[in-house]
Amino acid sequence: MKLDFLQKQTSRREMLRYSVTLAGSAFLAHFFSARLLRAATAGFAQQSPSAADLLASMRAKSMPFPWKRKSLLTTSTMFDGPGGAVTVLNGPDGKFMVDSFVLPAWPKLKKALDGIGNAPVKCVIDTHWHFDHTDNNAHLHAAGATVLAHENTKRRMSEPHDLPVLYRDADGALHDLHFDPSPAEALPEQTFPDSYKLQANGETLALQHLAPAHTDSDIYVHFQKANVISMGDTFFNGMYPYIDPGTGGKITGMIAAADKILSLADTDTKIVAGHGPLGNKADLTKSRTCSSLRAIAFRN
C-alpha cells in the first residue's frame, strides 16, 4: 500500500479514514493470501475481487491458522485459532463459552469442545457483532446452547453492513466489505442493556457493556473466581487494533475500555485478547499507551 498520503496535509476525518485503511489492512493480512491482497491493490489487477469473494476468502484463509489450547485454570480453557480466541468454562453445569471462531472452523471447534469434557455447551456469549466472533452461533444454538450478547450485537447482526475502507481497487478507489443480515438462528436469543451475571460451575461470570470502542456492541466477560477477563476486540495483543467506525467504534472508547479492565486487573489476571496471544496487565498497559498516542496524533 502506498504511504505517500502521509506527506500531505489531511483533515482529522481523512486521518481517521486512512487509519482504518491501515488497521483494516493489517487485520486482513491475517486472513487473505498475499496474492489476493495484491489483486486488491491499485496497479496489481485489472479487476478487483468482489465483496463476496473477499468475505469467502477471509473465512477460508483463516483455517490454516494453528490451533492452540491453553488451560487458564482447572475449569477454564482458551482456544487460540481461526478468528481470534475462544474462552470456555467447563463443569457439571455445562460449558459456557465466549465467542466462536469463523464458520469453517465449526467441525474442529466441536471436536475441541468435546475433547475437554462430555458436558453440552449451555451458553455462548458474543463479545460483539463481528462475524469472526459470532459465525458459529447457529451451530451452537442448534446443539442446544443459548446465545447471549449485548442488545446492540443483536441489532447490528440483524442489519446489512459495509465495513469501511478495507481495500483499494485497480483505480485506487476505496471499497467496503459487505455483510448481509445474519440468519435468525444465528441471532442472540437473550440480550441485556448494560450488565448481566451468570452463576455456573462455581464461577461468577460478570458481563459488562463498554462505551463504543471497537464497535458499539462491545462487552467484556469477567470470570471473577478464575481471575480471567475476555475483552473481545477491545484488546488486540501485540498488533495494531482495528476500529469499526461504521458501527460506533471510537479510539477514545478503546482507551476507556483498557482503563476499565486495568482497574479490575492485578498482576495475576489473565486477559484474553480478541486477537493475539493471552495477555496480562502489562500487555494491556502497552496497548493502552499506543492507543493514547494514536488519539493524540488525531487531535493534532
Side-chain angles (χ1 to χ4, degrees), residues 272-292:
V272 180
H275 299 274
L278 180 66
N280 55 30
K281 190 170 185 176
D283 295 322
L284 183 57
T285 300
K286 291 177 184 177
S287 178
R288 194 255 186 226
T289 300
C290 291
S291 293
S292 297

Side-chain angles (χ1 to χ4, degrees), residues 113-157:
L113 290 170
D114 291 343
I116 61 173
N118 296 325
V121 177
K122 289 293 187 68
C123 181
V124 56
I125 302 165
D126 297 333
T127 57
H128 62 291
W129 77 269
H130 284 161
F131 78 100
D132 51 326
H133 296 257
T134 63
D135 246 3
N136 285 298
N137 280 3
H139 283 303
L140 290 158
H141 178 212
T146 296
V147 181
L148 172 64
H150 185 261
E151 59 190 16
N152 283 352
T153 293
K154 184 173 184 177
R155 177 169 65 90
R156 293 302 190 184
M157 290 178 68

Side-chain angles (χ1 to χ4, degrees), residues 229-250:
I229 303 175
S230 291
M231 289 185 64
D233 282 1
T234 59
F235 180 29
F236 282 64
N237 192 11
M239 64 185 73
Y240 199 72
Y242 172 63
I243 298 173
D244 179 6
T247 55
K250 297 180 180 180

Side-chain angles (χ1 to χ4, degrees), residues 16-220:
L16 176 61
R17 191 166 176 82
Y18 283 129
S19 174
V20 174
T21 303
L22 287 169
S25 297
F27 180 61
L28 294 183
H30 290 277
F31 293 99
F32 295 152
S33 66
R35 183 176 181 181
L36 182 58
L37 284 171
R38 286 197 300 270
T41 306
F44 280 97
Q46 297 296 319
Q47 183 177 1
S48 300
S50 69
D53 289 339
L54 283 170
L55 182 55
S57 178
M58 179 180 281
R59 284 185 166 107
K61 293 296 181 182
S62 68
M63 291 310 296
F65 285 10
W67 283 64
K68 297 178 182 178
R69 171 180 167 178
K70 187 174 183 65
S71 294
L72 305 179
L73 274 181
T74 305
T75 59
S76 301
T77 303
M78 171 185 159
F79 295 107
D80 187 12
V86 168
T87 311
V88 184
L89 172 70
N90 184 38
D93 296 328
K95 297 185 180 80
F96 292 73
M97 59 186 292
V98 180
D99 292 333
S100 66
F101 291 147
V102 295
L103 190 61
W106 171 245
K108 198 166 185 178
L109 174 59
K110 184 179 184 304
K111 183 177 180 180
L113 290 170
D114 291 343
I116 61 173
N118 296 325
V121 177
K122 289 293 187 68
C123 181
V124 56
I125 302 165
D126 297 333
T127 57
H128 62 291
W129 77 269
H130 284 161
F131 78 100
D132 51 326
H133 296 257
T134 63
D135 246 3
N136 285 298
N137 280 3
H139 283 303
L140 290 158
H141 178 212
T146 296
V147 181
L148 172 64
H150 185 261
E151 59 190 16
N152 283 352
T153 293
K154 184 173 184 177
R155 177 169 65 90
R156 293 302 190 184
M157 290 178 68
S158 301
E159 304 167 339
H161 291 285
D162 294 296
L163 293 187
V165 195
L166 291 180
Y167 71 94
R168 291 180 182 272
D169 67 14
D171 298 321
L174 295 167
H175 293 267
D176 300 336
L177 186 61
H178 179 75
F179 293 86
D180 291 324
S182 298
E185 58 269 23
L187 297 177
E189 303 160 84
Q190 188 173 352
T191 63
F192 60 93
D194 298 307
S195 61
Y196 192 89
K197 278 194 176 182
L198 284 170
Q199 301 288 338
N201 299 321
E203 177 64 273
T204 299
L205 281 69
L207 287 60
Q208 180 66 53
H209 182 232
L210 295 160
H214 175 66
T215 69
D216 62 8
S217 63
D218 301 310
I219 66 168
Y220 68 83

